[in-house]
C-alpha cells in the first residue's frame, strides 16, 4: 500500500468555522454549519459525494454551468438511488465547440431554470459531504463564480481530486533514473484513461451524472489498489 502522496495541512473545520461567522447568505450559513468529518476519520468510514459539472467552456469568469451531477458513495457502495442531476440555463451563449463536447443544445436549456433557482437544492446536497471530483478547478471555481454572480458570496469546500491522485501515482510509478533512461513517462490522467488502467468499464463521457458515477468508481479503485482504507481523510483532502 502507498501512503497518501500528498500531505495537505488544511484545517477545514477551522476554515468552515470562520466562514460561518463571515457568511451573510442564510444558505451559506447553513452550508458552513454542517459538521465535517474529523480529519482523523478513516476514509473507509466517510460518505463521499462525487460531483461533476458540464460547462459552456473552461474559464469560470466567462463561462457558466450547464449541468450538475452528484452521487453519494462510500468505498464499498455507490448510492445510485440518491443521485441527482440538474440542468440550468447559463447566462452565456452556448458555443458550437462546447455543444460538440457535451451534446447539450439550446433546445435542452430553453426551459431550464437559472442557477439561482436551484442554489438551495444544490447546497443542500453538498452540505456536510466530502466532495470527490476529477480536476478540482472546474467544480471549485465554477461553483464559486456562480454563487458570486448571484448572491455576491463565493464558497470554499474540501475535495478529493481523483485526477491529482492519479497524477501523483503516475509520477511515482514512472519516476527514478532507470525509468527516465528507458524513456518511461507518466500515463494519461484523463478520466476515461485513468479508469481503463483499473479495468473499469467505458462510459460515454461529458454527461454530468455519468461522469460523477465514473469518478466515484475511480476513487474506489484507486484506494483499493494503492492505499490503506484506514488512512485518515486528512491525508487526501485538498
Amino acid at each position: 500500500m502507498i501512503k497518501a502522496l500528498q500531505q495537505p495541512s488544511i484545517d477545514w473545520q477551522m476554515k468552515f468555522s470562520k466562514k460561518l461567522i463571515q457568511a451573510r447568505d442564510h444558505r451559506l450559513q447553513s452550508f458552513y454549519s454542517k459538521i465535517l468529518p474529523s480529519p482523523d476519520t478513516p476514509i473507509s468510514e466517510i460518505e463521499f459525494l462525487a460531483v461533476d459539472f458540464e460547462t459552456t467552456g473552461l474559464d469560470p469568469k466567462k463561462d457558466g454551468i450547464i449541468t450538475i451531477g452528484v452521487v453519494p458513495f462510500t468505498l464499498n457502495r455507490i448510492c445510485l438511488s440518491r443521485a441527482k442531476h440538474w440542468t440550468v440555463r447559463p447566462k452565456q451563449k452556448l458555443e458550437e465547440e462546447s455543444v460538440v463536447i457535451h451534446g447539450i443544445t439550446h433546445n435542452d436549456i430553453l426551459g431550464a431554470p437559472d442557477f439561482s433557482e436551484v442554489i438551495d437544492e444544490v447546497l443542500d446536497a453538498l452540505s456536510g459531504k466530502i466532495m470527490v471530483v476529477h480536476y478540482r478547478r472546474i467544480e471549485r471555481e465554477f461553483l464559486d463564480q456562480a454563487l458570486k454572480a448571484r448572491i455576491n458570496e463565493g464558497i470554499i469546500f474540501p475535495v478529493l481530486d481523483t485526477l491529482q491522485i492519479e497524477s501523483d501515482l503516475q509520477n511515482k510509478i514512472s519516476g527514478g533514473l532507470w525509468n527516465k533512461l528507458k524513456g518511461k513517462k507518466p500515463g494519461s490522467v484523463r478520466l476515461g484513461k485513468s479508469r481503463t488502467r483499473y479495468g473499469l468499464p467505458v462510459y460515454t463521457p461529458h454527461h454530468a451524472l455519468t461522469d460523477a458515477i465514473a469518478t466515484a468508481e475511480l476513487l474506489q479503485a484507486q484506494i483499493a489498489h494503492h492505499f490503506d482504507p484506514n488512512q485518515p481523510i486528512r491525508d487526501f483532502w485538498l
Side-chain angles (χ1 to χ4, degrees):
M1 292 294 175
I2 298 175
K3 190 170 176 61
L5 299 175
Q6 291 193 351
Q7 296 293 325
S9 55
I10 302 173
D11 187 341
W12 278 107
Q13 290 176 320
M14 178 63 72
K15 280 182 172 288
F16 267 43
S17 295
K18 290 180 178 179
K19 282 292 185 179
L20 177 58
I21 296 171
Q22 297 168 355
R24 300 182 302 276
D25 188 278
H26 68 93
R27 291 160 293 191
L28 285 179
Q29 291 170 353
S30 176
F31 177 82
Y32 291 124
S33 70
K34 297 297 189 296
I35 298 174
L36 292 174
S38 163
D40 296 322
T41 304
I43 54 172
S44 60
E45 297 178 11
I46 300 285
E47 181 174 271
F48 297 101
L49 187 74
V51 181
D52 186 81
F53 294 169
E54 293 300 319
T55 62
T56 60
L58 297 176
D59 186 342
K61 293 186 177 179
K62 295 193 302 183
D63 298 306
I65 299 168
I66 308 172
T67 58
I68 302 168
V70 302
V71 61
F73 74 102
T74 66
L75 293 186
N76 298 313
R77 181 184 179 191
I78 296 176
C79 305
L80 294 178
S81 63
R82 293 164 55 200
K84 295 183 179 180
H85 183 263
W86 295 270
T87 298
V88 294
R89 185 179 66 255
K91 297 180 182 296
Q92 301 79 3
K93 179 183 176 182
L94 291 181
E95 299 294 340
E96 184 177 347
E97 308 89 78
S98 66
V99 172
V100 169
I101 293 172
H102 50 60
I104 300 166
T105 67
H106 294 281
N107 286 337
D108 295 323
I109 61 172
L110 275 179
D114 181 77
F115 181 73
S116 60
E117 298 177 53
V118 301
I119 288 176
D120 297 61
E121 295 176 51
V122 172
L123 289 183
D124 184 60
L126 303 182
S127 292
K129 297 291 192 299
I130 302 299
M131 284 165 254
V132 178
V133 301
H134 195 77
Y135 188 38
R136 62 189 179 275
R137 177 177 171 266
I138 295 295
E139 283 72 26
R140 264 192 175 155
E141 295 187 18
F142 271 88
L143 182 56
D144 183 62
Q145 288 296 326
L147 289 172
K148 284 178 177 175
R150 291 163 177 85
I151 63 173
N152 296 315
E153 289 188 76
I155 192 170
I156 63 169
F157 48 86
V159 297
L160 271 66
D161 186 345
T162 52
L163 183 148
Q164 185 67 61
I165 291 171
E166 197 63 23
S167 178
D168 290 343
L169 287 168
Q170 287 302 304
N171 286 331
K172 184 177 180 66
I173 291 168
S174 62
L177 179 59
W178 181 240
N179 283 327
K180 287 183 179 179
L181 291 173
K182 292 193 297 181
K184 186 171 184 178
K185 297 180 180 179
S188 169
V189 294
R190 295 176 69 89
L191 181 56
K193 292 289 187 181
S194 297
R195 286 173 55 82
T196 299
R197 199 170 288 125
Y198 297 95
L200 295 169
V202 175
Y203 294 156
T204 301
H206 303 300
H207 180 283
L209 183 53
T210 303
D211 282 354
I213 295 168
T215 299
E217 291 177 344
L218 177 57
L219 181 70
Q220 290 176 328
Q222 288 172 326
I223 300 301
H225 281 77
H226 299 293
F227 300 98
D228 181 347
N230 291 314
Q231 283 182 240
I233 187 64
R234 68 165 180 266
D235 287 352
F236 297 90
W237 64 16
L238 299 169

